[in-house]
Amino acid sequence: MVTLRISGIDCYYGSIKALDNVTFSSREGEFAGILGPNGSGKTTLLKAISRTLTPRVGTVFLDDINIYDMKIREVAKNVAVVPQEAVATFDFTALDVVLMGRNPYIDRFRMESREDLAVAKRVMELTNTWDLADRPVNELSGGEKQLVIIARALTQEPKVLLLDEPTTHLDISHQISIMDILRGVCKEKKLVVLAVFHDFNLATRYCDSAMLLNNGSIFSIGPIDTVLTGENIKKVFRVDMIVKRHPITESLYVVPLSISRSKITQSKDIIVHMICGHGTGAPLMKLLLEHGYGVTTGVHSTLDTDYDAACTLGIPVVSEAPFSPITEENHKANLAMIDEASAIVVSNVPFGFGNLKNLEAAKVALERGKMTVIVEETPIQQRDFTDGKAQSLLEELKSKGAITVKSRKEALSILKALRK
């Protein structure tokens, strides 16, 4: 089994320390991501592994052999690098570029053999570049050129493949195409693959494991879902992120929030209570916070998207057990929050018998003189799963003075009247 082991390496650029006591190992068939802010040491780590930059302390082992004791040609046979962007200054054909990957196997003053050509053709077919073989590489698109560079690396027949942001500047189609190929090659050829990423979602989709670097040190390392957590990303990048698992792909996905919870100051003067659910309230919660309102919400199942959003944004929330109707206790807690609010907003939420009490709470709020705004982006008939009870309650709210709007922006405009 091929194993790459990095043991306590420190790397410097002059007097500036770029890596500090980095230690980890990776095995064959493992696709590992390296992530971190700019200047955290990601590219430096690849340079150390590929012997481009010699560590002052520590070393790199490939199958228990110190890579710095190996001859250059042996290193090239075992370790291949795909840079961020390869520049071809001469008018080589794509096949010429790919055959450069065979240089470690060709003696000086010798030409490529039939075996070398066969390896190049096989790899180009694998990377869908064989039809580009006779085209000048400088005439290829960015995606085609990157695939040719990947083919060149694979033609080295390495045990370890190092990728430095392999899909930078490429459109989404080429990103997925290239990453699908790389992931497939990793598993089929049992390569050790280390890839630097700036895109969290590409990393979560394709990596088995990940390393999060910060200031030249490993902040977190392990399975991708234990490394790329909202908490870790917040500490390293100082940005709030929502990290969820996609229901179809089952991979994690990461969504940044444009405001930081640390910068949110909940207003105590004007509080808006949100009655929402199924993700219909989250955008307005964020919008209200950005405009300086205090926000509360309830009642939500702990599996509801709006419950997650409230927790992420630091919004007080009344919660209920999953798949349970709203209890009288939580209904009263919701009413207590409503009493503290200046206004109530009912989002475009579907209503079933489980959350119908939330609409009853809105009715109580209106009766207590609270400004009540109903966001009705779609007709209630399409969202009523209570045999008409929700529709009846909503119509009653409207008849007693609730304000109906068609969008979140309209709701925000109405709420501005509270500040006059």
Side-chain angles (χ1 to χ4, degrees):
M1 177 177 286
V2 178
T3 302
L4 177 70
R5 182 163 57 89
I6 287 74
S7 179
I9 62 172
D10 292 355
C11 288
Y12 288 77
Y13 294 107
S15 61
I16 299 173
K17 196 173 194 178
L19 287 178
D20 182 17
N21 192 30
V22 172
T23 299
F24 70 95
S25 63
S26 193
R27 64 186 185 281
E28 66 179 36
E30 182 178 4
F31 201 117
I34 305 171
L35 300 103
N38 291 335
S40 60
K42 302 183 296 296
T43 299
T44 301
L45 178 57
L46 296 191
K47 288 180 178 179
I49 296 170
S50 61
R51 248 180 63 162
T52 306
L53 179 67
T54 303
R56 289 192 190 176
V57 178
T59 193
V60 178
F61 295 94
L62 181 61
D63 291 337
D64 294 325
I65 300 173
N66 187 334
I67 203 167
Y68 289 90
D69 292 337
M70 297 168 66
K71 294 181 179 180
I72 293 293
R73 180 170 289 197
E74 286 305 308
V75 174
K77 288 180 180 179
N78 284 281
V79 180
V81 181
V82 176
Q84 289 182 26
E85 190 173 1
V87 179
T89 55
F90 297 99
D91 209 18
F92 294 111
T93 66
L95 180 57
D96 291 334
V97 172
V98 173
L99 281 169
M100 292 176 188
R102 297 302 297 169
N103 286 345
Y105 299 90
I106 300 172
D107 293 331
R108 188 177 296 180
F109 307 121
R110 295 282 300 274
M111 295 294 292
E112 299 90 353
S113 67
R114 288 185 178 180
E115 181 183 353
D116 296 321
L117 289 167
V119 171
K121 181 180 180 181
R122 183 170 67 250
V123 170
M124 292 184 80
E125 288 176 340
L126 177 67
T127 54
N128 301 320
T129 55
W130 180 242
D131 60 332
L132 306 174
D134 296 325
R135 288 182 57 187
V137 72
N138 285 331
E139 295 180 7
L140 302 180
S141 71
E144 291 170 334
K145 192 181 298 183
Q146 189 70 343
L147 279 171
V148 168
I149 300 304
I150 290 168
R152 181 184 67 184
L154 294 176
T155 302
Q156 293 174 232
E157 298 184 296
K159 294 178 180 178
V160 177
L161 182 61
L162 306 177
L163 308 167
D164 194 357
E165 298 182 57
T167 60
T168 300
H169 309 310
L170 300 183
D171 61 44
I172 187 65
S173 175
H174 279 106
Q175 286 181 7
I176 293 173
S177 173
I178 287 172
M179 292 306 302
D180 282 344
I181 289 169
L182 289 170
R183 171 85 178 177
V185 169
C186 172
K187 301 305 177 184
E188 180 183 342
K189 303 294 183 181
K190 298 189 182 302
L191 303 183
V192 175
V193 178
L194 296 179
V196 169
F197 289 98
H198 274 299
D199 188 322
F200 293 125
N201 289 307
L202 276 180
T204 57
R205 181 181 174 93
Y206 290 100
C207 294
D208 304 303
S209 61
M211 175 195 314
L212 193 55
L213 291 175
N214 192 30
N215 296 322
S217 299
I218 295 177
F219 180 86
S220 179
I221 190 169
I224 190 76
D225 56 350
T226 66
V227 173
L228 284 187
T229 64
E231 182 179 358
N232 283 347
I233 295 171
K234 170 70 173 178
K235 288 179 179 177
V236 172
F237 290 89
R238 299 182 181 179
V239 176
D240 283 311
M241 295 278 188
I242 297 173
V243 182
K244 303 284 287 182
R245 192 170 294 279
H246 197 280
I248 297 175
T249 65
E250 294 188 340
S251 63
L252 297 177
Y253 66 91
V254 181
V255 180
L257 295 172
S258 60
I259 56 174
S260 171
R261 278 173 292 179
S262 62
K263 296 180 180 179
I264 293 172
T265 302
Q266 286 264 21
S267 171
K268 295 181 180 179
D269 298 325
I270 304 176
I271 297 174
V272 178
H273 186 78
M274 294 282 303
I275 291 175
C276 52
H278 297 263
T280 61
L284 185 53
M285 291 182 202
K286 177 174 173 289
L287 193 63
L288 289 168
L289 290 172
E290 288 174 333
H291 283 79
Y293 292 92
V295 182
T296 58
T297 186
V299 177
H300 294 287
S301 161
T302 53
L303 294 181
D304 190 88
T305 304
D306 282 340
Y307 172 80
D308 285 344
C311 293
T312 299
L313 294 168
I315 291 171
V317 55
V318 180
S319 62
E320 185 60 83
F323 312 113
S324 300
I326 296 170
T327 62
E328 191 61 30
E329 179 183 0
N330 284 327
H331 178 58
K332 288 179 179 178
N334 200 29
L335 290 175
M337 274 192 176
I338 286 171
D339 283 339
E340 297 296 321
S342 306
I344 313 301
V345 175
V346 181
S347 73
N348 197 62
V349 58
F351 285 101
F353 290 106
N355 67 341
L356 190 60
K357 272 189 177 293
N358 282 342
L359 207 47
E360 294 173 2
K363 179 183 174 183
V364 173
L366 190 62
E367 291 170 348
R368 293 178 181 177
K370 303 288 183 180
M371 175 190 282
T372 303
V373 180
I374 299 169
V375 181
E376 196 166 36
E377 296 168 322
T378 57
I380 184 60
Q381 293 89 338
Q382 298 177 19
R383 302 179 282 117
D384 184 0
F385 302 95
T386 63
D387 299 327
K389 291 183 179 179
Q391 181 179 348
S392 177
L393 272 170
L394 206 63
E395 293 300 330
E396 186 178 353
L397 287 174
K398 292 178 186 179
S399 69
K400 291 184 176 180
I403 303 167
T404 303
V405 297
K406 294 292 185 182
S407 68
R408 295 188 294 271
K409 287 186 178 180
E410 282 187 65
L412 184 64
S413 179
I414 295 294
L415 291 169
K416 287 180 180 178
L418 295 170
R419 289 181 163 164
K420 295 179 180 179

